[in-house]
Amino acid sequence: VVPLGDSDKVQVGEWVLAVGYPLSLNSTVTAGIVSAKGRSIGILYRPGQGGYVDPAQAANTAIESFIQTDAAINPGNSGGALVNTFGQLIGINTAIASQTGSYAGYGFAIPVNLMQKVVGDIREFGRVRRGFLGVSFPVPAVEDQLLKSRGIDPGKVGGVYIMGVQPGSGAEKAGIKE
């Protein structure tokens, strides 16, 4: 049994090990560092990936928050452990960023704290439950451009630019406006 760590305490630059069965090989361990946290890679937008979400809906509902590592993760590693130097599970290997279909320097793992929430919800409610605010806002990659197009100086925005509020949502009930 692998003890669970705390993925919220993982630091960028921390050494990790990725364990799995890549490319039809028996148990393999690779080493690397955590190169980013809270990474969104758009995996929910890709047809052919389990759990595909229509991009029109994904803008409002998609949540991705992967641990990024340079420890080699290849096809077959999915579901394998990402462990810290204390031997604690901090992530579940899930995806790679690659033009060829095999390791190209970036691997992604689901943080163990998120996994614990999902498992807890399934056990208690039979499904995953998420809080839902009911607002839409620009993705970070285009936020500055969108604000400028609306005559707003991005440097003067001290919060989140709300682009829409869904009728009947908690945000509407709280009085949040576009």
Side-chain angles (χ1 to χ4, degrees):
V1 175
V2 177
L4 300 181
D6 183 348
S7 55
D8 291 341
K9 292 183 179 177
V10 171
Q11 298 291 313
V12 172
E14 182 177 332
W15 281 95
V16 292
L17 301 172
V19 181
Y21 296 86
L23 308 170
S24 299
L25 298 171
N26 281 335
S27 185
T28 301
V29 178
T30 58
I33 63 166
V34 171
S35 46
K37 289 177 57 177
R39 182 70 77 200
S40 177
I41 59 174
I43 199 167
L44 295 178
Y45 304 118
R46 296 182 192 156
Q49 304 285 331
Y52 173 71
V53 174
D54 179 354
Q57 291 178 321
N60 293 324
T61 63
I63 298 174
E64 293 182 3
S65 185
F66 293 104
I67 297 170
Q68 179 181 316
T69 180
D70 66 355
I73 295 175
N74 276 296
N77 273 108
S78 293
L82 185 69
V83 298
N84 62 17
T85 56
F86 300 106
Q88 299 169 325
L89 181 71
I90 58 164
I92 300 169
N93 302 327
T94 303
I96 59 175
S98 172
Q99 300 298 316
T100 65
S102 54
Y103 178 72
Y106 301 106
F108 302 93
I110 297 168
V112 72
N113 292 12
L114 177 58
M115 178 274 306
Q116 288 180 288
K117 193 253 188 250
V118 168
V119 169
D121 280 1
I122 291 170
R123 285 181 175 158
E124 186 173 347
F125 308 109
R127 64 184 179 86
V128 178
R129 294 178 57 176
R130 288 190 353 204
F132 187 73
L133 184 58
V135 298
S136 59
F137 48 88
V139 295
V142 299
E143 184 175 26
D144 285 359
Q145 180 181 350
L146 177 93
L147 292 172
K148 288 175 186 174
S149 74
R150 296 187 179 189
I152 300 168
D153 177 1
K156 294 189 177 182
V157 174
V160 176
Y161 183 78
I162 304 295
M163 294 174 45
V165 178
Q166 293 185 332
S169 68
E172 182 187 58
K173 290 175 186 169
I176 293 177
K177 304 285 183 202
E178 185 173 329

